[in-house]
Amino acid sequence: MKTGLILEGGAMRGMFTCGVLDVWMQAGVRFDGAIGVSAGAVFGCNYKSHQIGRALRYNKRFCADRRYGSFHSLLKTGNLFDTEFCYHTIPTVLDPFDAETYRQDPMEFYVTATDARTGKAVYHLCMKGDEEDITWMRASASMPIVSQVVKIGGYELLDGGVADAVPLRHFQSLGYHRNVVILTQPLHYIKEKNKFLPLARVTLRRYPNMISAIADRHIRYNETIRYIQQEEAEGRVFVVRPPQALHIHSTERHPEELERVYALGQAAGQACLKDLRAYLAK
């Protein structure tokens, strides 16, 4: 039975996911496939490249850099996160992404993005770790309103969390039937309607289906979480989630806050390690 890993996004809440994954990498836990959404994609790819600690390291190093998530970057480039700096300079020069190890590792790694023209989810297999794959990861993490649409593969893409924030059902449809889900919100969290919807209606006026998808996002998300909880209760999925709300900013400027959330992830990853191994071995 194929084992799958599903990684929710959530901007810097993703530091929780990084903590969990680094513990599991150190313990030698492997999966047949993984799928990441938004931060789950851009941080989770380090699992396939075996780079323990990399996501925490570069986030702490550059979190105060105005090219790395700032209003200045948004005004200058049209993207809250400067794409040249974040998706070229960092992974190729400042903190290199190990594309060779990524390619050699047999685990399938998918990312989820949202087609701005249709408002529907697009799932893409990234197996090379090259510039094209990194562009797909960027598309998955391109938050509406504060990011430009990413054009690749004939699509015009934005944040995958809009269409399918936790793509468990999609992975099940691909034949992954022993799945582990890492969430970045605690139990009983309920998503509310996007308060920036009026601004989205202006900035995304060329994409009416994307606006509709943003308007309905909370409904889809909450239904997905209910499905995951049902699957969890019936023993068909293993879920790791924060013990409480993480209370971290999307563009966190304080390294100690990143470290705090990462440590929560480490603790959660370590605490469930024995049960995880038993679940994967069934």
Side-chain angles (χ1 to χ4, degrees):
M1 186 178 293
K2 290 202 299 184
T3 58
L5 176 64
I6 295 95
L7 307 173
E8 183 181 15
M12 290 306 161
R13 294 199 313 272
M15 286 294 101
F16 175 83
T17 301
C18 294
V20 175
L21 294 183
D22 282 354
V23 167
W24 292 355
M25 274 197 279
Q26 289 172 327
V29 177
R30 303 303 301 168
F31 297 87
D32 296 313
I35 185 166
V37 183
S38 195
V42 296
F43 298 159
C45 62
N46 293 290
Y47 203 84
K48 184 170 165 63
S49 65
H50 303 191
Q51 290 179 276
I52 297 171
R54 177 175 178 267
L56 175 67
R57 183 174 62 242
Y58 73 72
N59 275 282
K60 287 176 64 177
R61 180 180 174 186
F62 300 114
C63 64
D65 191 309
R66 64 182 186 177
R67 294 169 294 181
Y68 198 77
S70 70
F71 187 63
H72 174 271
S73 174
L74 181 61
L75 289 178
K76 181 180 179 181
T77 71
N79 291 288
L80 185 66
F81 290 86
D82 185 316
T83 58
E84 177 66 20
F85 182 69
C86 296
Y87 296 100
H88 178 71
T89 304
I90 290 177
T92 62
V93 179
L94 299 177
D95 198 322
F97 178 66
D98 189 348
E100 181 60 30
T101 298
Y102 183 98
R103 281 191 294 272
Q104 292 178 359
D105 185 279
M107 183 183 78
E108 294 185 330
F109 189 80
Y110 294 81
V111 301
T112 304
T114 301
D115 186 336
R117 292 177 295 189
T118 67
K120 304 296 183 183
V122 175
Y123 309 98
H124 183 77
L125 178 61
C126 298
M127 290 300 289
K128 296 180 180 179
D130 58 6
E131 184 177 349
E132 181 178 349
D133 279 356
I134 290 175
T135 301
W136 275 98
M137 295 172 195
R138 172 166 69 90
S140 179
S142 292
M143 296 179 287
I145 302 173
V146 295
S147 305
Q148 294 180 331
V149 167
V150 178
K151 296 181 180 181
I152 188 171
Y155 295 101
E156 296 179 36
L157 302 170
L158 284 169
D159 188 349
V162 173
D164 194 356
V166 194
L168 172 60
R169 283 190 179 100
H170 178 71
F171 237 37
Q172 290 172 331
S173 76
L174 295 181
Y176 290 91
H177 295 303
R178 193 166 301 285
N179 292 299
V180 175
V181 176
I182 302 180
L183 300 175
T184 59
Q185 295 285 13
L187 189 64
H188 306 309
Y189 170 78
I190 297 175
K191 183 176 281 296
E192 298 180 353
K193 191 170 185 176
N194 193 320
K195 62 183 178 180
F196 296 109
L197 184 58
L199 185 56
R201 295 188 191 281
V202 175
T203 59
L204 294 167
R205 56 188 176 276
R206 292 181 52 236
Y207 302 100
N209 290 324
M210 187 70 187
I211 294 171
S212 296
I214 293 171
D216 297 340
R217 179 180 185 178
H218 63 296
I219 298 172
R220 257 187 324 280
Y221 181 89
N222 293 332
E223 190 280 328
T224 295
I225 294 300
R226 287 193 296 271
Y227 175 73
I228 291 170
Q229 290 173 347
Q230 178 182 338
E231 291 287 279
E232 181 184 19
E234 296 179 4
R236 289 194 291 264
V237 65
F238 189 98
V239 182
V240 181
R241 53 174 68 83
Q244 66 270 332
L246 295 173
H247 299 300
I248 188 168
H249 296 294
S250 296
T251 55
E252 181 58 62
R253 296 296 192 192
H254 299 91
E256 62 272 18
E257 280 297 286
L258 300 174
E259 187 75 54
R260 174 184 66 83
V261 173
Y262 176 83
L264 289 172
Q266 285 183 302
Q270 188 64 51
C272 72
L273 191 54
K274 182 178 179 180
D275 290 340
L276 173 68
R277 290 190 190 279
Y279 171 78
L280 293 175
K282 288 181 181 178

